[in-house]
Amino acid sequence: MSGAQLYDTIGATYTVTRRTEPRIAAQVWAALGDARTVLNVGAGTGSYEPADRDVTAVEPSALMRAQRPAGAAPCVAAAAESLPFEDQSFDAAMAFATIHHWQDPIAGLREMRRVARRVVVFTHETSDTGWLRRFWLTRDYLPEVADILVGRPSLTELAGAIGARVEPVLIPWDCADGFFEAYWRRPEAYLDENVRRGVSVWARVGPDAERRAVHSLRADLASGRWAERNRDLVDLEAAELGLRLLVA
């Protein structure tokens, strides 16, 4: 299932939990530098689009496009791998939490590089063999996440395709954007179906794995086992869970 098909299926309530996290947005926008014209690829419902720049959005999912708010940047129905723009049409191209849905991430990144002088991409480090154990949800409850990433390009390959440098992105404990890792210090949130429906990972691992993970997490929260296992998280203001910016 392509990213567009996935979000046409599960994305009806996407805006309930997915919104711009200001502290992460500040890092993304700083990476855009002095770019005045920005292409947002895989733009979804419009989170993280800088309001003070001239933004054009690209989003293949009709359901996502329909949820963009009034006054949002104009949005073109297209895929990252074949952007309908001339070479160097934009000062910068950005992509936020989307390249893992692309059929060919390397081709999509090269297209971004073709149409823009600067490229900024928010993605995830999965090449490090310890990344699955870094986050308690994948380590203790949802190891199937590893399976859905088999065959995808490594962060090194992604960065190399566009000559990008890599910046770590920390996740604040009270992150406003409900992406997969956002509730690392608020585990009860993962029991909420609305939270899970806003994250494609749950759809990709399938209902059996989801039910098992939720059941186990609920039991561990009730027994105090989760708190015992993860007591080192209580005083952290932000966590390093493998989120990265590629900047080229």
Side-chain angles (χ1 to χ4, degrees), residues 47-102:
S47 295
Y48 297 94
E49 292 178 357
D52 60 344
R53 312 193 197 211
D54 180 4
V55 177
T56 300
V58 167
E59 172 52 52
S61 166
L63 192 58
M64 290 289 102
R65 294 195 304 272
Q67 294 180 78
R68 292 176 63 82
C75 190
V76 177
E81 296 87 346
S82 184
L83 295 173
F85 305 104
E86 299 293 329
D87 294 359
Q88 303 294 286
S89 296
F90 301 90
D91 295 331
M94 61 177 281
F96 192 94
T98 177
I99 66 172
H100 53 289
H101 295 308
W102 299 355

XYZ file of all heavy atoms in Angstrom, residues 47-102:
417
model
N 0.802 20.791 8.612
C 1.653 21.044 9.786
C 3.070 21.394 9.340
O 3.557 20.890 8.335
C 1.689 19.807 10.684
O 0.416 19.534 11.219
N 3.704 22.252 10.106
C 5.108 22.649 9.939
C 5.363 23.535 8.716
O 6.506 23.837 8.395
C 6.032 21.421 9.904
C 5.987 20.653 11.200
C 5.123 19.575 11.355
C 6.756 21.033 12.295
C 5.037 18.886 12.566
C 6.675 20.346 13.505
C 5.817 19.282 13.625
O 5.729 18.603 14.816
N 4.325 23.985 8.049
C 4.545 24.923 6.954
C 4.777 26.316 7.529
O 3.924 26.838 8.263
C 3.336 24.920 6.004
C 3.210 23.611 5.250
C 1.997 23.523 4.336
O 1.188 24.485 4.328
O 1.854 22.502 3.652
N 5.904 26.935 7.237
C 6.204 28.252 7.821
C 5.276 29.336 7.277
O 5.146 29.510 6.064
C 7.657 28.497 7.399
C 7.861 27.642 6.186
C 6.981 26.443 6.360
N 4.649 30.062 8.188
C 3.645 31.057 7.788
C 4.260 32.305 7.170
O 3.569 33.061 6.479
C 2.805 31.451 9.002
N 5.546 32.524 7.414
C 6.180 33.756 6.947
C 6.942 33.562 5.644
O 7.773 34.394 5.277
C 7.118 34.304 8.024
C 8.232 33.323 8.381
O 8.111 32.125 8.037
O 9.223 33.760 9.002
N 6.660 32.476 4.915
C 7.337 32.231 3.640
C 6.299 31.847 2.587
O 5.163 31.486 2.904
C 8.385 31.131 3.795
C 9.274 31.362 5.022
C 10.491 30.487 5.044
N 11.099 30.423 6.375
C 12.382 30.256 6.601
N 13.224 30.140 5.596
N 12.845 30.200 7.836
N 6.714 31.892 1.348
C 5.824 31.558 0.230
C 5.899 30.044 0.020
O 6.871 29.535 -0.537
C 6.290 32.315 -1.017
C 5.421 32.031 -2.229
O 4.409 31.310 -2.091
O 5.764 32.507 -3.324
N 4.871 29.322 0.487
C 4.893 27.863 0.493
C 3.981 27.305 -0.598
O 2.860 27.782 -0.798
C 4.440 27.306 1.863
C 4.391 25.776 1.842
C 5.382 27.802 2.965
N 4.474 26.286 -1.274
C 3.674 25.460 -2.176
C 3.725 24.045 -1.639
O 4.800 23.551 -1.290
C 4.230 25.491 -3.607
O 4.220 26.836 -4.095
C 3.404 24.604 -4.535
N 2.581 23.392 -1.544
C 2.516 22.049 -0.977
C 2.291 21.004 -2.069
O 1.659 21.279 -3.087
C 1.398 21.965 0.059
N 2.804 19.799 -1.806
C 2.563 18.634 -2.660
C 2.047 17.519 -1.764
O 2.686 17.183 -0.756
C 3.853 18.185 -3.379
C 3.672 16.802 -3.996
C 4.256 19.188 -4.437
N 0.904 16.936 -2.103
C 0.327 15.855 -1.296
C -0.483 14.918 -2.197
O -1.458 15.357 -2.832
C -0.572 16.435 -0.197
C -1.372 15.424 0.586
C -0.529 14.296 1.150
O 0.489 14.599 1.821
O -0.866 13.121 0.917
N -0.133 13.629 -2.255
C -0.858 12.713 -3.140
C -2.206 12.239 -2.605
O -3.055 11.799 -3.383
C 0.109 11.533 -3.286
C 0.933 11.565 -2.041
C 1.071 13.016 -1.679
N -2.436 12.284 -1.293
C -3.670 11.758 -0.711
C -4.791 12.791 -0.764
O -4.685 13.870 -0.189
C -3.450 11.332 0.740
O -4.681 11.128 1.406
N -5.891 12.432 -1.412
C -7.035 13.332 -1.496
C -7.620 13.609 -0.116
O -8.054 14.737 0.174
C -8.102 12.732 -2.406
N -7.611 12.603 0.758
C -8.164 12.788 2.103
C -7.327 13.766 2.917
O -7.859 14.585 3.662
C -8.249 11.442 2.820
C -9.050 11.410 4.121
C -10.472 11.867 3.889
C -9.029 10.009 4.718
N -6.017 13.700 2.760
C -5.152 14.654 3.444
C -5.360 16.063 2.889
O -5.475 17.041 3.643
C -3.683 14.246 3.285
C -3.266 12.997 4.037
S -3.200 13.232 5.840
C -4.736 12.449 6.300
N -5.424 16.178 1.578
C -5.614 17.502 0.980
C -6.923 18.128 1.447
O -7.005 19.339 1.678
C -5.601 17.402 -0.557
C -4.268 16.990 -1.150
C -4.206 17.266 -2.653
N -5.271 16.625 -3.406
C -5.219 15.393 -3.902
N -4.137 14.643 -3.702
N -6.224 14.902 -4.601
N -7.960 17.316 1.607
C -9.265 17.831 2.003
C -9.270 18.379 3.424
O -10.139 19.184 3.781
C -10.314 16.732 1.871
N -8.305 17.962 4.238
C -8.256 18.414 5.635
C -7.353 19.617 5.847
O -7.209 20.092 6.977
C -7.789 17.260 6.533
C -8.767 16.112 6.597
C -8.266 14.997 7.495
O -8.339 15.074 8.718
N -7.749 13.949 6.882
N -6.753 20.112 4.776
C -5.927 21.310 4.924
C -6.825 22.498 5.266
O -7.891 22.664 4.684
C -5.135 21.573 3.641
C -4.080 20.507 3.387
C -3.370 20.721 2.046
N -2.638 21.965 2.027
C -1.426 22.145 2.543
N -0.811 21.140 3.137
N -0.828 23.315 2.460
N -6.423 23.317 6.241
C -7.304 24.397 6.695
C -7.448 25.501 5.663
O -6.614 25.662 4.760
C -6.589 24.911 7.952
C -5.151 24.564 7.742
C -5.154 23.266 6.984
N -8.505 26.268 5.811
C -8.695 27.441 4.956
C -7.495 28.367 5.122
O -7.019 28.594 6.226
C -9.983 28.155 5.351
N -7.010 28.870 4.029
C -5.859 29.757 4.076
C -4.522 29.056 4.021
O -3.470 29.720 4.029
N -4.515 27.718 3.984
C -3.253 26.980 3.876
C -2.632 27.206 2.506
O -3.289 27.677 1.565
C -3.497 25.492 4.106
N -1.381 26.858 2.397
C -0.667 27.012 1.127
C -1.360 26.224 0.020
O -1.961 25.173 0.282
C 0.769 26.523 1.287
N -1.289 26.692 -1.212
C -1.861 25.930 -2.330
C -1.205 24.556 -2.416
O -0.007 24.411 -2.173
C -1.530 26.793 -3.554
C -0.424 27.702 -3.115
C -0.623 27.926 -1.660
N -2.011 23.545 -2.742
C -1.524 22.168 -2.688
C -1.742 21.470 -4.022
O -2.848 21.487 -4.572
C -2.252 21.409 -1.577
S -1.534 19.797 -1.229
N -0.687 20.849 -4.515
C -0.691 20.138 -5.786
C -0.779 18.638 -5.522
O -0.096 18.118 -4.631
C 0.599 20.455 -6.578
C 0.650 19.663 -7.874
C 0.706 21.951 -6.847
N -1.602 17.943 -6.275
C -1.703 16.480 -6.165
C -0.584 15.852 -6.993
O -0.642 15.851 -8.229
C -3.064 16.008 -6.656
N 0.437 15.361 -6.318
C 1.573 14.766 -7.010
C 2.371 13.923 -6.029
O 2.173 14.006 -4.813
C 2.464 15.849 -7.623
N 3.262 13.094 -6.559
C 4.124 12.245 -5.740
C 5.537 12.806 -5.714
O 5.976 13.470 -6.664
C 4.145 10.820 -6.292
N 6.260 12.517 -4.634
C 7.615 13.044 -4.459
C 8.544 12.610 -5.580
O 9.433 13.363 -5.990
C 8.175 12.581 -3.111
N 8.345 11.405 -6.076
C 9.261 10.864 -7.085
C 9.122 11.524 -8.452
O 9.966 11.318 -9.334
C 9.026 9.351 -7.235
C 9.330 8.546 -5.987
C 8.163 8.436 -5.021
O 7.174 9.207 -5.171
O 8.224 7.591 -4.123
N 8.078 12.328 -8.639
C 7.867 12.996 -9.921
C 7.227 14.363 -9.674
O 6.038 14.566 -9.884
C 6.964 12.138 -10.823
O 6.813 12.726 -12.095
N 8.043 15.288 -9.227
C 7.542 16.617 -8.883
C 7.316 17.452 -10.147
O 8.216 17.551 -10.991
C 8.536 17.325 -7.957
C 8.731 16.675 -6.584
C 9.864 17.358 -5.828
C 7.438 16.716 -5.765
N 6.140 18.053 -10.299
C 5.796 18.766 -11.538
C 6.300 20.211 -11.554
O 5.537 21.152 -11.778
C 4.263 18.709 -11.525
C 3.908 18.755 -10.075
C 5.001 17.971 -9.365
N 7.607 20.371 -11.339
C 8.205 21.702 -11.284
C 9.516 21.699 -12.055
O 10.192 20.665 -12.160
C 8.449 22.130 -9.835
C 7.224 22.073 -8.963
C 7.055 21.048 -8.045
C 6.236 23.041 -9.074
C 5.927 20.983 -7.244
C 5.098 22.979 -8.278
C 4.937 21.950 -7.366
N 9.889 22.879 -12.535
C 11.157 23.037 -13.244
C 12.336 22.957 -12.271
O 12.174 23.143 -11.057
C 11.185 24.386 -13.967
C 10.093 24.566 -15.019
C 10.264 23.626 -16.206
O 11.420 23.289 -16.522
O 9.243 23.224 -16.797
N 13.515 22.716 -12.809
C 14.733 22.687 -11.997
C 14.888 24.013 -11.246
O 14.637 25.093 -11.798
C 15.958 22.483 -12.885
C 15.985 21.107 -13.553
O 15.053 20.309 -13.310
O 16.923 20.858 -14.323
N 15.299 23.885 -9.960
C 15.616 25.055 -9.138
C 14.460 26.061 -9.076
O 14.667 27.275 -9.095
C 16.886 25.745 -9.664
C 18.106 24.827 -9.714
C 18.559 24.393 -8.313
O 19.130 25.167 -7.577
N 18.276 23.138 -7.969
N 13.248 25.548 -8.981
C 12.071 26.419 -8.915
C 11.886 27.075 -7.552
O 11.192 28.082 -7.440
C 10.803 25.618 -9.235
O 10.825 25.125 -10.551
N 12.494 26.477 -6.509
C 12.270 26.940 -5.133
C 13.594 27.187 -4.418
O 14.602 26.544 -4.729
C 11.452 25.904 -4.346
C 10.114 25.610 -4.946
C 9.966 24.589 -5.881
C 9.004 26.369 -4.602
C 8.729 24.320 -6.446
C 7.762 26.104 -5.171
C 7.632 25.083 -6.097
N 13.544 28.095 -3.445
C 14.727 28.292 -2.606
C 14.999 27.048 -1.770
O 16.153 26.687 -1.542
C 14.523 29.491 -1.680
C 14.414 30.802 -2.427
O 14.999 30.917 -3.524
O 13.721 31.713 -1.925
N 13.925 26.418 -1.285
C 14.093 25.238 -0.434
C 12.934 24.271 -0.643
O 11.825 24.683 -1.005
C 14.181 25.632 1.039
N 13.213 22.993 -0.402
C 12.166 21.964 -0.371
C 12.266 21.261 0.972
O 13.361 20.940 1.439
C 12.349 20.971 -1.511
N 11.115 21.035 1.605
C 11.096 20.365 2.899
C 10.167 19.153 2.838
O 9.254 19.084 2.016
C 10.638 21.320 3.999
C 9.246 21.883 3.815
S 8.694 22.956 5.191
C 8.223 21.727 6.416
N 10.424 18.196 3.720
C 9.549 17.025 3.850
C 9.565 16.623 5.315
O 10.640 16.450 5.897
C 10.043 15.884 2.966
N 8.389 16.482 5.906
C 8.301 16.197 7.338
C 7.588 14.870 7.568
O 6.412 14.718 7.243
C 7.556 17.324 8.068
C 7.676 17.238 9.564
C 8.670 17.941 10.235
C 6.823 16.434 10.307
C 8.804 17.845 11.611
C 6.947 16.321 11.683
C 7.948 17.035 12.341
N 8.316 13.909 8.134
C 7.745 12.618 8.538
C 6.949 11.979 7.413
O 5.821 11.530 7.610
C 6.883 12.783 9.789
N 7.542 11.937 6.236
C 6.810 11.413 5.082
C 7.618 10.450 4.222
O 7.043 9.587 3.574
C 6.300 12.577 4.197
O 5.648 12.046 3.045
C 7.433 13.480 3.731
N 8.950 10.538 4.220
C 9.695 9.774 3.219
C 9.602 8.266 3.428
O 9.812 7.499 2.492
C 11.174 10.217 3.113
C 11.954 9.909 4.390
C 11.277 11.687 2.786
C 13.443 10.159 4.219
N 9.244 7.823 4.643
C 9.077 6.384 4.856
C 7.828 5.850 4.158
O 7.642 4.640 4.067
C 9.014 6.072 6.354
C 7.999 6.844 7.122
N 8.133 8.192 7.373
C 6.830 6.480 7.699
C 7.087 8.624 8.066
N 6.278 7.598 8.268
N 6.975 6.756 3.645
C 5.803 6.329 2.881
C 6.063 6.311 1.378
O 5.230 5.795 0.628
C 4.629 7.272 3.145
C 4.142 7.250 4.553
N 3.805 6.089 5.206
C 3.926 8.251 5.444
C 3.409 6.371 6.432
N 3.481 7.674 6.607
N 7.159 6.882 0.930
C 7.388 7.000 -0.502
C 7.781 5.663 -1.101
O 8.487 4.868 -0.476
C 8.481 8.031 -0.773
C 8.158 9.415 -0.294
C 6.978 9.854 0.253
C 9.032 10.548 -0.288
N 7.067 11.184 0.582
C 8.319 11.632 0.274
C 10.353 10.738 -0.701
C 8.882 12.891 0.417
C 10.926 11.995 -0.554
C 10.182 13.064 -0.002
